Amino acid sequence: MSQRYRTNLRDRSALLGGAATDYSTPPSSGRSSPYPAGGAGNGLGASRDIPFAPLGHRYADDLESQNDEHLEGLTAKVKILKDITIGIGNEVRDSTIQLSQMNDAFSETSGILAGTFRRMNNMAARQGCRWLWYIVFLIIVFWFFIIVWWFRR
């Protein structure tokens, strides 16, 4: 814990006003309660008869310890959230780099395919329609072999 929090711990007891302060509600946590447990020892019924009255300096110390416990818990949760957000940031950064590389690869592939299609169109224009009949013939032969193979299984 930093020095700033340590000095505030000493000042909190002065802020609470010492033992003469009257509180109307009990503390929220029952782990380190400054109230007597059961009064005469006859269980829950006796604790209802005792009014909520703090026990002075012990009450302030208990509040300080509860605050310290909550502060440590919150500090741990903040650290976990910080680690998670750093991990998310790293993942976003890596994903952005991957997407940029994929975009470059697709642009390059698009350029290659466009060039190939352009060369194929140039070839088709020089050849006339003869190449189209060769492709249609090859597709028909290919489908014939697939159908024969399918029915012979």
Side-chain angles (χ1 to χ4, degrees), residues 12-23 52-61:
R12 274 193 257 164
S13 62
L15 290 174
L16 292 174
T21 309
D22 182 29
Y23 295 99
F52 294 118
L55 299 178
H57 187 66
R58 180 174 167 226
Y59 181 71
D61 289 341

Side-chain angles (χ1 to χ4, degrees), residues 63-134:
L63 282 178
E64 287 179 26
S65 66
Q66 288 175 4
N67 286 342
D68 291 339
E69 289 173 8
H70 292 297
L71 184 64
E72 289 171 4
L74 287 174
T75 303
K77 289 177 184 178
V78 167
K79 183 183 181 320
I80 290 170
L81 286 174
K82 181 182 175 186
D83 293 341
I84 289 172
T85 54
I86 287 173
I88 290 172
N90 291 338
E91 186 66 30
V92 166
R93 198 173 307 114
D94 294 343
S95 297
T96 303
I97 291 170
Q98 272 186 333
L99 285 174
S100 174
Q101 291 171 348
M102 285 177 58
N103 187 29
D104 294 342
F106 282 128
S107 296
E108 183 179 331
T109 303
S110 174
I112 291 171
L113 288 175
T116 302
F117 189 70
R118 185 176 18 86
R119 285 191 300 271
M120 188 180 75
N121 282 336
N122 289 340
M123 180 192 71
R126 279 184 267 150
Q127 296 279 330
C129 273
R130 197 166 133 188
W131 70 274
L132 180 64
W133 293 111
Y134 286 132

